[in-house]
Each structure stands twice: as structure tokens, then as C-alpha cells.
Amino acid sequence: MKYLLIFLVVLVIFIISVTLGAHNDQVITFNYLLAQGEFRISTLLASLFGAGFVLGWAICGLFWLRARVSLAHAQRKIKRMQTQLDKSNPPATSSAAVAGRE
């Protein structure tokens, strides 16, 4: 459900940007680091929105991947410590448990 809402929000933003971009046919000069070019405002807005969207997902994906790797490492460490604990404290035998009750 959460992913559906996120998808709908992104879809609405995309539709609004396309609608606004379709009505902006002015040509502007855009200066970027290496050169300059003349673009329609709609094309420039759409390409910058797409680049920002992809960059945002890439950054979030890297943070998610880092968290997953950290979680896997912690789970492996917990499992290793659990096996060490089980080896150092062997379970009591049934005869000792019965003798302790009497």
C-alpha cells in the first residue's frame, strides 16, 4: 500500500510537470559547466526533473544497500556468538535434571 501511494505521488508530479512543460515553449539559454545551449523550458524542466529523480533514487539505494550489508554483518555476528555460547554452556542432561528434582 505504501509503495502504491509513493507511485501515485510520483505519477501526479510527473503529470503536472508534463502539463506545465507543454505550455512553456519559450527558448532559453542555459549555461552549464562546459558549454551553453538553447533549450525549450519544457525540455529543460523535464530533463532536470528526471536527472534529480534518478540521482535521488541512486542515493537512497546506496543508503539502503549500506544498511542491508550492515544488518547482514550483524546477523552473522549474532549467529557466530550464539554458537560460541551454545558450545561453552552444554545443555544439562536429563539424569541431572531428574536428580535435581529429588
Side-chain angles (χ1 to χ4, degrees):
M1 186 68 179
K2 179 173 110 176
Y3 296 112
L4 179 64
L5 290 175
I6 291 171
F7 176 74
L8 289 176
V9 167
V10 170
L11 184 66
V12 166
I13 290 172
F14 181 73
I15 290 172
I16 289 172
S17 66
V18 168
T19 304
L20 291 175
H23 295 296
N24 291 321
D25 290 332
Q26 289 180 326
V27 176
I28 61 168
T29 302
F30 182 67
N31 294 321
Y32 43 95
L33 289 175
L34 301 175
Q36 89 180 36
E38 293 189 4
F39 301 100
R40 290 185 347 189
I41 290 179
S42 60
T43 306
L44 188 60
L45 285 174
S47 61
L48 291 177
F49 176 77
F53 186 77
V54 169
L55 183 64
W57 272 103
I59 291 171
C60 287
L62 288 175
F63 280 114
W64 177 83
L65 184 63
R66 189 175 84 176
R68 292 293 299 171
V69 168
S70 176
L71 178 65
H73 178 69
Q75 286 176 339
R76 214 173 321 124
K77 189 175 180 180
I78 288 171
K79 188 175 181 180
R80 187 172 46 238
M81 292 175 81
Q82 187 68 37
T83 57
Q84 286 177 354
L85 183 65
D86 290 344
K87 286 180 182 177
S88 66
N89 293 334
T93 60
S94 61
S95 62
V98 172
R101 286 187 208 165
E102 293 177 2

